[in-house]
Amino acid sequence: CYRDVEKPYDCTGKNPTTFEETYLGWTSRYTKCKRRLFRQRSVRNKEIEACGVRFCSQDEQRTAFSKYGKPLCKSYNQKAYNQYDKWVFWDVRYASDMQKRCYRSGIEDSYPKINCNGWARHAKDWNEDHHMVLDVDEQSGHGPETISFKNVPPGTYQVVVNQWTTTSRKVRDRWGNKITVEDVGYANPRVNLYIGGNSIRFECLIPDSCLSQVRIWNVVNVEVKDIGPYENGKNGERKYQIRLIDSRDEIQPLRWVEMPTRRDNKKQEWTQQDTQNQQYWTMGTATEYPDGYLKQACVGQCEPADAEYKECMARTHSRRLAEDLRNLTRS
């Protein structure tokens, strides 16, 4: 969903293209990324039709559900203000319509015309009853916080952990002085993934080999891929493959331009200047992380509870391919 948005709004690349403007001796640096256009009500009212994200009714820290088990997130006033970044987290708790795509024009003139009657690949007839939802924002305990994926269409889903509080520890620098560092790994967080009707479990941890001391952890990408129809399938039934990507070479990197945003403490829309001198929403990660900081994030190390499902790990396929290439070279 996010990749479908970043390209037309010119926000691709490791760092969005920037330019400098000088006026009366003052030089300002701007980005050509036009994510600021999502502040236009007309833009976000159209963009929500494809991969729309929403606020939810809450019972204290918990997401409210109807008596039929459906999350209460679909009313008109629950449209998230920012439809650009597509994250589901403690403030924006719900995403749906992930099978749809938008056609856009006029972005260069800052007055986009948007039509969201397109479809993601192999998803035109996808079950409309699908969503992602966060059940609870656990502020006073140790979790768990659960995000449920219901009937989600093919795509790559990023799982990231951010340490909101300033939990820290004392360490000594190279001169022997005590300094305070913030480190998401200090609390030994873990992410459990349960996949399929059999709830196949995978556990993700921060590997001991990662010595970064930052507040964010790039855990894993969950890739859902359409691999074609069943050989003898009826009614056009198709097969899907799920892979977990947890290697730094393959995982989607994190960038400041795509970090989530939030409402203010009164749950109202609030904007401020970002690092590129654009009016934008308040960051949903407690502070605005620059790209250099995000590059230091550890990448998760995930393992299946049952070794039978080792094949679901993308690095297993990469390792086997490398072995096949070596054998081919030897022969």
Side-chain angles (χ1 to χ4, degrees), residues 6 20 27 65 107-108 112 150 153 198 237 288 292 297 309:
E6 67 168 359
E20 290 185 351
T27 299
F65 288 78
I107 291 177
E108 288 299 323
K150 180 181 179 182
N198 296 329
E237 293 177 331
E288 188 162 6
Y309 296 101

Side-chain angles (χ1 to χ4, degrees), residues 86-101:
K86 306 303 182 187
W87 290 102
V88 170
F89 66 111
W90 61 268
D91 190 31
V92 180
R93 299 187 173 201
Y94 182 87
S96 62
D97 299 310
M98 290 176 276
Q99 84 282 25
K100 300 183 73 175
R101 295 293 182 267

Side-chain angles (χ1 to χ4, degrees), residues 36-49 76-77 79-83 110-112 114 268-269 281:
R36 65 184 183 277
L37 297 181
F38 281 77
R39 293 182 59 240
Q40 297 180 20
R41 191 174 300 276
S42 60
V43 170
R44 62 202 197 202
N45 281 347
K46 290 300 296 182
E47 291 282 357
I48 196 174
E49 295 177 16
Y76 180 82
N77 62 359
K79 296 178 181 179
Y81 300 127
N82 188 3
Q83 292 295 322
S110 296
Y111 293 98
I114 304 166
Q268 300 296 317
E269 183 174 10
W281 290 276

